[in-house]
């Protein structure tokens, strides 16, 4: 079964591919020749995932899924949220995003945060939503060289390491994207039964 994951992000692709069952051939936007800038104009994580999935289905005709992820920090009224990738500006610069977040949390005691991933799956005319959440805290310093995005400053509850100090397998086991992908793969295996 061929399934398009609406992303060019190789880190995300690698993370999701490790969780997919062997009967699914995962294709990226690059694989299907989609180099358009898909607009992410929704004010919600769910809305942006739906926009991306709809774009692929409408323009390329493939069954597909898209995700959108946001980091929600309690003390900052759930910022950066839907604007996580461009928190420090349009350049999508992970270091600048983390620096801005750490500066905004300077002298704050409540560092509670959560990562939220929403996956939208479109097959024929059916649309399904799958949500994964990982609760944690924002560290005071960046730690670790693995992962991407905000991983060096996010520590899941019950763990001493940041996401950037964990292997891909460890992160996928407890992380938001892993949880959402497992809900998707469970749905896929049931629908094929």
């Amino acid at each position: 079964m061929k399934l398009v994951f609406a992303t060019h992000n190789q880190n995300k692709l690698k993370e999701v591919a490790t969780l997919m069952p062997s009967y699914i051939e995962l294709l990226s936007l690059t694989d299907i020749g989609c180099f358009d800038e898909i607009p992410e104009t929704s004010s919600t994580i769910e809305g942006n995932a739906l926009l991306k999935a709809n774009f692929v289905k409408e323009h390329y005709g493939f069954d597909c899924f898209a995700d959108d992820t946001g980091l929600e920090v309690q003390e900052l009224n759930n910022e950066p949220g839907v604007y996580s990738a461009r928190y420090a500006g349009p350049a999508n610069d992970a270091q600048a995003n983390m620096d801005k977040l750490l500066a905004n949390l300077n002298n704050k005691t409540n560092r509670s945060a959560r990562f939220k991933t929403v996956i939208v799956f479109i097959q024929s005319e059916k649309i399904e939503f799958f949500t994964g959440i990982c609760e944690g805290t924002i560290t005071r310093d960046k730690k670790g060289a693995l992962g991407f995005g905000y991983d060096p400053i996010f520590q899941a509850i019950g763990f001493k390491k940041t996401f950037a100090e964990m292997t891909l397998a460890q992160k996928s086991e407890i992380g938001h994207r892993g949880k959402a992908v497992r809900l998707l793969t469970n749905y896929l295996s049931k629908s094929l039964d």
Side-chain angles (χ1 to χ4, degrees):
M1 173 185 189
K2 285 187 179 179
L3 200 51
V4 173
F5 178 21
T7 189
H8 286 293
N9 184 323
Q10 291 305 304
N11 290 312
K12 268 192 199 181
L13 195 63
K14 200 187 310 178
E15 195 175 306
V16 169
T18 62
L19 300 169
M20 280 287 152
S22 56
Y23 60 82
I24 290 178
E25 184 188 344
L26 199 58
L27 303 172
S28 69
L29 292 177
T30 307
D31 294 328
I32 63 168
C34 173
F35 298 100
D36 301 301
E37 186 68 38
I38 301 174
E40 294 182 42
T41 52
S42 175
S43 60
T44 66
I45 291 169
E46 292 82 357
N48 279 334
L50 183 59
L51 283 171
K52 290 187 269 190
N54 271 331
F55 185 92
V56 171
K57 188 66 176 170
E58 286 170 17
H59 293 83
Y60 295 88
F62 287 100
D63 288 345
C64 64
F65 66 96
D67 80 322
D68 199 35
T69 295
L71 176 64
E72 299 175 338
V73 181
Q74 207 173 64
E75 185 71 26
L76 303 177
N77 297 316
N78 290 332
E79 277 185 15
V82 73
Y83 305 107
S84 293
R86 293 170 185 81
Y87 191 45
N92 199 354
D93 181 326
Q95 294 303 321
N97 289 338
M98 284 188 283
D99 291 341
K100 179 177 179 178
L101 184 63
L102 290 173
N104 287 345
L105 279 177
N106 199 18
N107 301 323
K108 306 274 191 211
T109 50
N110 178 7
R111 301 179 78 84
S112 298
R114 68 180 197 163
F115 266 122
K116 176 181 175 183
T117 291
V118 176
I119 289 177
V120 175
F121 172 62
I122 300 181
Q123 185 177 38
S124 305
E125 301 304 309
K126 247 198 295 191
I127 299 176
E128 299 288 340
F129 288 78
F130 306 96
T131 302
I133 289 173
C134 183
E135 302 283 349
T137 57
I138 301 299
T139 58
R140 296 194 176 273
D141 303 298
K142 299 174 194 169
K143 295 182 202 143
L146 304 172
F148 58 98
Y150 294 91
D151 287 356
I153 60 170
F154 183 82
Q155 195 170 318
I157 288 174
F159 292 84
K160 299 254 186 273
K161 295 178 174 181
T162 66
F163 271 178
E165 295 175 292
M166 294 182 175
T167 65
L168 187 57
Q170 289 170 323
K171 180 185 164 188
S172 293
E173 185 64 36
I174 62 164
H176 48 291
R177 190 169 293 105
K179 289 176 181 177
V181 171
R182 277 190 290 282
L183 291 172
L184 169 64
T185 56
N186 288 346
Y187 172 83
L188 290 172
S189 33
K190 282 181 187 152
S191 67
L192 290 173
D193 283 348

